[in-house]
Amino acid sequence: MERRTWRIGTSMACLLAGSLLAIGTMPGKASASDGYDLWLAPAHEGAAVPDVQVIGDSQTLQLAATELRRNLTGAKLPVVLTKALNPALARLRLPTAELGTEGYLVRTVMIAGRSSLLITGNTDTGVLYGAFAAIRAQKTGADLTKLDLISAPRIKLRVLNHWDNLDGSVERGYAGQSLWDWWTLPDFKDPRYTDYARANASLGINAIVLNNVNASPLSLSADYIAKTGALAEVFRPWGIKVYLSVRFSAPIELGGLKTADPLDPEVQAWWKAKADEIYRTIPDFGGFLVKANSEGQPGPRDYQRSHADGANMLAAAVAPHNGIVMWRAFVYAETDPEDRAKQAWSEFKPLDGKFADNVLVQVKNGAIDFQPREPFHPLFGAMPKTPMMLELQITKEYLGFSTHLAYLGPLYTEVLEADTRAKGRGSTVAKVIDGSLEGSALTGIAGVANVGRDRDWSGSTFNQANWYAFARLAWDPSLSATDIGREWARQTFGNDPHVVDTVVSMMMESREAVVDYTGPLGLAHLMATGHHYGPGPWVNDLARPEWNPTYYHKADRGGIGFDRTRTGSNAVAQYAPQVARKLADPHTTPESELLWFHHLPWDWKMKSGQTLWHDLVAHYDRGVSTVARMQQNWDSIKDKVDAERWTKTASYLAIQHREARWWRDASLAYWMSVNGLPLPAGSPAPQHDLAWYKAQSFPLAPGQ
Amino acid sequence: MERRTWRIGTSMACLLAGSLLAIGTMPGKASASDGYDLWLAPAHEGAAVPDVQVIGDSQTLQLAATELRRNLTGAKLPVVLTKALNPALARLRLPTAELGTEGYLVRTVMIAGRSSLLITGNTDTGVLYGAFAAIRAQKTGADLTKLDLISAPRIKLRVLNHWDNLDGSVERGYAGQSLWDWWTLPDFKDPRYTDYARANASLGINAIVLNNVNASPLSLSADYIAKTGALAEVFRPWGIKVYLSVRFSAPIELGGLKTADPLDPEVQAWWKAKADEIYRTIPDFGGFLVKANSEGQPGPRDYQRSHADGANMLAAAVAPHNGIVMWRAFVYAETDPEDRAKQAWSEFKPLDGKFADNVLVQVKNGAIDFQPREPFHPLFGAMPKTPMMLELQITKEYLGFSTHLAYLGPLYTEVLEADTRAKGRGSTVAKVIDGSLEGSALTGIAGVANVGRDRDWSGSTFNQANWYAFARLAWDPSLSATDIGREWARQTFGNDPHVVDTVVSMMMESREAVVDYTGPLGLAHLMATGHHYGPGPWVNDLARPEWNPTYYHKADRGGIGFDRTRTGSNAVAQYAPQVARKLADPHTTPESELLWFHHLPWDWKMKSGQTLWHDLVAHYDRGVSTVARMQQNWDSIKDKVDAERWTKTASYLAIQHREARWWRDASLAYWMSVNGLPLPAGSPAPQHDLAWYKAQSFPLAPGQ
């Protein structure tokens, strides 16, 4: 019934374009989809239901069995689901020890004299993950009878951070209202909560922080604890724990105390009592996420205490319940004249070894703020005695919101593969956060969710790929962005090789296109005021210096770029010596990060042999032309993608192409006003003058 | 694919309750539905597609044909769609003259020698309405071969008012974000816009005001006119025109003028130019809706001009394009010590005859503000030379938001059937607004929409019935609320008589239940501060006197109620003499409106023979017990309603029951604190003391 109504909607849209007959008779076209199914489109109606046997009794195993019955097709052998401790498996001598608490093994074995597809793990959740892995393998082309999958997650905490406010808005959210309808919780458990948990479980996400890091103290009130408890109940059988962001000053606002000083016994007692209260309702509550002394949020520094003091006080409150604290290192102060890129390192590095055992320090991939490209954060590798979590952004705050197509897999792998050199070559960020570098007991990775109430969850079909890629890398940070993209494309659009190749090629060039048209060669943070959408490299009138784009690019007649070498802020010195040496010299700095670390003359000679100005313009031009090519690619598979998803993506690509040009034109108009140089031959003049670009305003941009 | 995923969601919810098998094998249970289909669930898959012939060529006729092919079942005769001016119909001598521009005729006739089901009208839209009428008739049990439908709308403008803000929030909206995604318009036309237009067309809605009456001037900017134009394009083939709410001071904020004085030539020119600009993009733009000098909105009174001056200035701007102006009479001023219920009449009555021909004055059903019950507004019948529109609220601002079940059909028919006595007996509000009383050329009715991005559009299945009932009454205000309820129930839940009877009985007692537990016997406006949800009869600390519940109930030790007779505000004198006389005497005032018009002692003797206090308590008790009965009724059809819709409604009824008790208890605790009386025997004491009720707060209530 669903599908039909939507089909009407879509076909009407097409009818209005005069092409109803064409649609109705198009061969090979998939039926309409509104994207709700994500990468989990069920098997065809009418496919034989496999024989799935569950040994053991738990909700989670039943869920796993249901998934297999709905999604596996053509299974000629029985499928057996059981935990590894089943004595019947003992004689098989399976390598289940290496699966840990969440890994799985999927293999064809003889059980009770019959060849069977065994799906097992040491826990119910491991078995569930195995079931999803088997389904994923089949959907991406594997032969069920030959499956031999063995996998355990390399990172323990695989977290989605919701920046969802209690009033239903989502900070930097571009996919509709918050999923959580706090008003009707805990009474009404929207089936969508279940579908959300299921989608996450299919990829191994095991932790969800429900609310914005800019947290309301009300989320800790008794009413909201009950509401959170209802969500925890929905998520539990899917192997997911809930966490809450907390406001450090809640003891004042909610508790009526006079202080939130972490060394004050009353404050400590308040948090302990609050934790006890939460755990009475939610025995497996995960713990707290904290943004403190950052962008106006309260924190321990308000009382001349350290971040460690603050984190440890909360850690003590949740420790008796095996809870953890994720403490963000995203701090910078307007009162601090130091290069913003240096401040987190300066503040946190001295605290290494001072955090309690159940604290993780959560560090963004780069030292500024989720730009389309940033060098890896110097804190990675710099705090060997502290478990470091990586925080990535899945929602595209600085990459075109919902409408621009930007596959973030390459952004994620770029940082994961970055070599900190902390303990010699190969000390990658991935090894820092998966604990293999220092043997950390606690490991974690977090992504800021791009999920809302939009029917397709993430605001566009391709945005779903970023959720998917984050989760897959959280399970195994050594996967390649291309492989993940291909895996996603096959489950999302089917196995037609031309479709898959086209989709993957679009994805793989998309993020670099955004870098090119918004901030090439290491430029960053060039957006206009009031939103993080359009260009504003000229902005220099904001109260805090480091909020102004001019702070970041420092362009003048003589050159462009932020000198972070010894002659400048010397931020390079925060990296390991081998890295610092390379970044201190513009000749050895990767050109993709050149202007992040160096202020260079416009006629600086690039590796291409051309001037910096020439190459800069070429990047902008390439950004626009890449989007045009993405449009052509998408057009080429029009008859192989359902009309609804095809049309929406095509509309969005048209927006992106227009706005890529806008970014390029506005940026170039400004750079030319600064450097007085002409455009290289063949590069078109901006469509408007600089004043026109400066006059654009978007008071109603979403996500604020 | 849709349906499946949702089924998983639902069945998971059930599985968690341990009842998966029960669900799977329940006989006769409809498959899962998330409510997206509204009353338009398509015919079964596999049903034979009827032979539909379209004579003529228009998008609208093609849409009508598509609807019939999808939805009619078992049609043994061909279905012919054509406009009435088709010469082939001439010899049939059909009474098409009486169909006007939007009516339809559906009848089995001989065409080209074959018995055919003819669907015709004088316009394409009339034919479309006829197609939907035929489908509705079949779905509610009619035999297609015996259809003989002839109908024309009694009211010309059948309007939905969206109180949607440009930032995506909806004032008094409880069904998610605004449908309109202004950020991606005009590029992306969400298929949901089409589905929305279709649902409205199925009931004859022909006008949609896109934005909140508390309007942003930005909706008139060039960017937003283009966005509005994209929506107009989607709606056009469905017979729907778009309208905009405008901010009276837009010439200042958007145009940079120094004044918005309606008599200023520059202001007049600005509006004229703005109208011309809009009509260049949207040639069939409907016109403007205005809230002026009301609750802080700017208006002509700011310049010592009358509402007629303001309305006529805008009317002159749109008149060359056949546009209209809907000017709201919902005005009251904090500076005016007069009874709030009297102010609109006092301000507008003297303006009768002074409005331009293309102005309608839009009047709420009652003189205060969409309370669960209000006497009809005294302006109806009081301005014979002015076209009066009725404004109803479909969203349940004062009736429990989305969660409480309250079918508003009886509320709507109560006002439509109210006799103003303006021109003798039978001068009903319906006749005032359909123009039959005074022969008005322009007629209209508006409903404040309850639609948002929630999957089920209106926040609950039963809320859909209010959208449905409003639209059906807009077409024909003489329909009965019961008949409409039955019609809706059959299309929404199927034709099982037990289901239909149960659903209709729940609906028909639901609104009176809300009156009983929130404000019986004519009490109104008793809600707590900051939201319009829970009880706050004690509130008396708000800045404007008429914002305080104590202003409305005036309860003291001696009695309760607002004296609107000659000894009080004499609001009764605003009604026609025959009505005024009846309302001036508490013995002849309907008891349902008693305390609206009279301040009476607590021991006033009621028609029951009991005291006022006794009956008041009995009403509160009845309200709670009615909700309990609704729960039992809903339980009784659990196995005949799909699990998803059943569970959501059951959850909501549980909320409603708890909150009905809360309303009752809080109200009684307060009345007892005022009158010092004990509860009648058998009536349970409030669960908490008054202080507890006063301490409840809901800073995050939706819709603000």
Side-chain angles (χ1 to χ4, degrees), chain B residues 570-590:
Chain B
N570 205 21
V572 297
Q574 293 183 335
Y575 289 98
Q578 300 87 335
V579 176
R581 258 198 307 279
K582 200 178 74 169
L583 298 176
D585 179 351
H587 295 97
T588 54
T589 301

Side-chain angles (χ1 to χ4, degrees), chain B residues 521-522 582-583 585-598 607:
Chain B
L521 298 177
K582 200 178 74 169
L583 298 176
D585 179 351
H587 295 97
T588 54
T589 301
E591 286 193 342
S592 61
E593 300 176 352
L594 191 64
L595 303 177
W596 186 280
F597 291 111
H598 305 282
K607 293 193 176 113

